[in-house]
Amino acid sequence: MAHRIITQVVLTGSRVLGRAFAEAYRQASASQRYAANGSRSSPSAAANFASHGLTLDEACKILNVKPPQRGKANMEDVMSRFKTLYDKNEPNNGGSFYLQSKILRARERIEREVREATELAEREAELRGGWKPKLYKDR
């Protein structure tokens, strides 16, 4: 009698576990297809949201600054807003760790956007002007 109960428990448990794994696999493959379709239609949109969780618009709204125009942003303004908001949300002074982390991620997101635009502009300038290696003469 006990062996039947144990067998039923094992079989039921394996069925439940098998269904859970199958459903998890279906969700993962659907998520992968969705991300692939999104990256085909707008490659930057997938990078903006999927990998970092915070869009540039959200970051600018959090810090209350203007979005970078053609990769140029007033980083002094961004840093001053960041420092002010970050200090106001210090958990030791009754602030919120969640808000503090959101503020930090917003600053990082804006910095990344500006850095990528600067690197792209440098690359394009090098392509237009040609590659000019720095040569050092032996003394």
Side-chain angles (χ1 to χ4, degrees), residues 26-91:
R26 273 189 239 118
Q27 287 180 358
S29 63
S31 175
Q32 185 179 16
R33 284 192 305 265
Y34 178 75
N37 288 339
S39 65
R40 273 189 227 127
S41 64
S42 175
S44 63
N48 286 347
F49 183 73
S51 62
H52 300 287
L54 195 66
T55 64
L56 183 60
D57 291 334
E58 288 174 327
C60 292
K61 286 178 183 176
I62 289 170
L63 292 178
N64 195 22
V65 294
K66 294 180 182 176
Q69 301 296 324
R70 287 181 255 127
K72 307 267 188 210
N74 186 358
M75 291 309 291
E76 294 171 358
D77 188 32
V78 171
M79 287 305 294
S80 67
R81 293 289 302 153
F82 164 74
K83 287 177 183 176
T84 303
L85 292 171
Y86 194 81
D87 291 340
K88 284 183 180 178
N89 287 295
E90 179 65 37

Side-chain angles (χ1 to χ4, degrees), residues 2-3 7 17 38 52 57 77 98 112-113 124 134 136:
H3 67 282
T7 305
L17 203 58
H52 300 287
D57 291 334
D77 188 32
Y98 174 76
R112 193 180 97 237
E113 188 74 22
E124 288 175 357
K134 296 179 182 176
Y136 299 98

